[in-house]
Amino acid sequence: MTRDARKGVHGPELDHHELLARQGLRFPAIILRHLRSAGIYCQPTVSIEHQHLAKRYVLRGVECGGAVADLGVYSSFADEQGNALAWLQRVDTVGVNGVHAIVVAPALVRIEMLRVQRTYDVLITRHGLRGVGQNQRPRLESSILFYGRRGTLEMELWGKDAAFRGAVCPAFYSRSGEALSVPVEFQDALARIAAAVCCVGCRHCHVLQPLTTPKGQMLSTAAPLSDNA
């Protein structure tokens, strides 16, 4: 990676941790080849978008990913307290293990996970907007909340243990063998992501949810017709 590629759009060179927080998990070439071969698509990019009518900036993310028996990768988003966010729109596609829904919000917490058989990597990052001046595009500010590598879960959630999906998480350890604790507020979201990376031929959302009313009724997302239609 060149020096210029490590720079933010508006700011100085990013350090390693901020680069990891912004771009997400980085996979070696052999993992990328296997993901392409398996037909699993996962793009964890967080982008800054401008809402012209509301005259404000928001963040946009995509819930995507899925699994085959021995490999899975998934990325989705929660709010800063770990609660499920409502999707802006659900995306139905002909293929599986791809894009499932789109979300926009002023701030996002991204949860990413890679599974290779029973070994898991996870990265939880916070993303927000930092103002740089009046009438100027804000800067994306990213930070790492939890990073676990080579976690283990001795269950076949993609097969005989599928009934436990959403109820269990991998265990992560430091290099010295000490247990690493996932922040409590994100444990439920992490369990959902652990289920997602074991969802073979995934066609649905695991974290983002439909927008509902206070009475629990799903809101319609149909656009009203113009008077001139």
Side-chain angles (χ1 to χ4, degrees):
M1 182 177 292
T2 65
R3 180 181 179 88
D4 287 343
R6 294 195 299 267
K7 292 184 178 180
V9 176
H10 300 286
E13 181 178 325
L14 303 177
D15 63 28
H16 170 73
H17 288 89
E18 188 171 356
L19 189 65
L20 178 65
R22 181 171 295 186
Q23 295 184 347
L25 291 172
R26 314 304 294 169
F27 303 138
I30 189 171
I31 293 292
L32 294 175
R33 286 199 300 270
H34 277 77
L35 289 172
R36 284 194 293 267
S37 177
I40 302 173
Y41 172 84
C42 186
Q43 177 54 263
T45 303
V46 175
S47 62
I48 301 174
E49 307 295 340
H50 185 254
Q51 294 182 335
H52 298 286
L53 295 179
K55 297 182 179 180
R56 66 170 185 169
Y57 286 93
V58 294
L59 297 179
R60 180 183 186 273
V62 177
E63 178 164 327
C64 50
V68 293
D70 61 350
L71 180 67
V73 65
Y74 207 88
S75 175
S76 191
F77 299 86
D79 70 14
E80 294 178 282
Q81 288 72 47
N83 300 315
L85 289 167
W87 62 54
L88 172 67
Q89 61 185 110
R90 186 174 59 185
V91 179
D92 296 318
T93 61
V94 174
V96 298
N97 298 332
V99 174
H100 305 300
I102 297 168
V103 62
V104 295
L108 295 169
V109 172
R110 181 178 61 198
I111 308 102
E112 297 176 77
M113 184 177 282
L114 168 72
R115 175 184 65 85
V116 179
Q117 296 186 9
R118 296 176 180 82
T119 300
Y120 298 75
D121 285 1
V122 67
L123 178 64
I124 303 177
T125 51
R126 182 195 178 279
H127 305 271
L129 295 170
R130 181 177 181 181
V132 294
Q134 189 174 8
N135 299 323
Q136 291 184 329
R137 182 182 174 91
R139 177 177 178 268
L140 177 63
E141 194 167 60
S142 304
S143 59
I144 296 175
L145 301 178
F146 181 83
Y147 183 30
R149 298 198 62 205
R150 298 173 183 170
T152 58
L153 179 58
E154 292 297 327
M155 302 177 74
E156 294 182 10
L157 298 183
W158 60 92
K160 65 182 181 66
D161 299 314
F164 294 94
R165 287 184 192 168
V168 293
C169 290
F172 294 93
Y173 299 92
S174 68
R175 290 174 60 88
S176 61
E178 296 177 313
L180 298 176
S181 298
V182 176
V184 174
E185 60 268 32
F186 300 114
Q187 289 180 1
D188 180 69
L190 188 64
R192 292 174 181 269
I193 294 289
V197 296
C198 297
C199 183
V200 176
C202 186
R203 287 183 177 272
H204 62 276
C205 290
H206 286 265
V207 181
L208 297 178
Q209 298 181 358
L211 184 63
T212 57
T213 67
K215 294 183 179 181
Q217 298 174 324
M218 187 183 302
L219 292 179
S220 171
T221 56
L225 295 176
S226 169
D227 292 338
N228 298 323

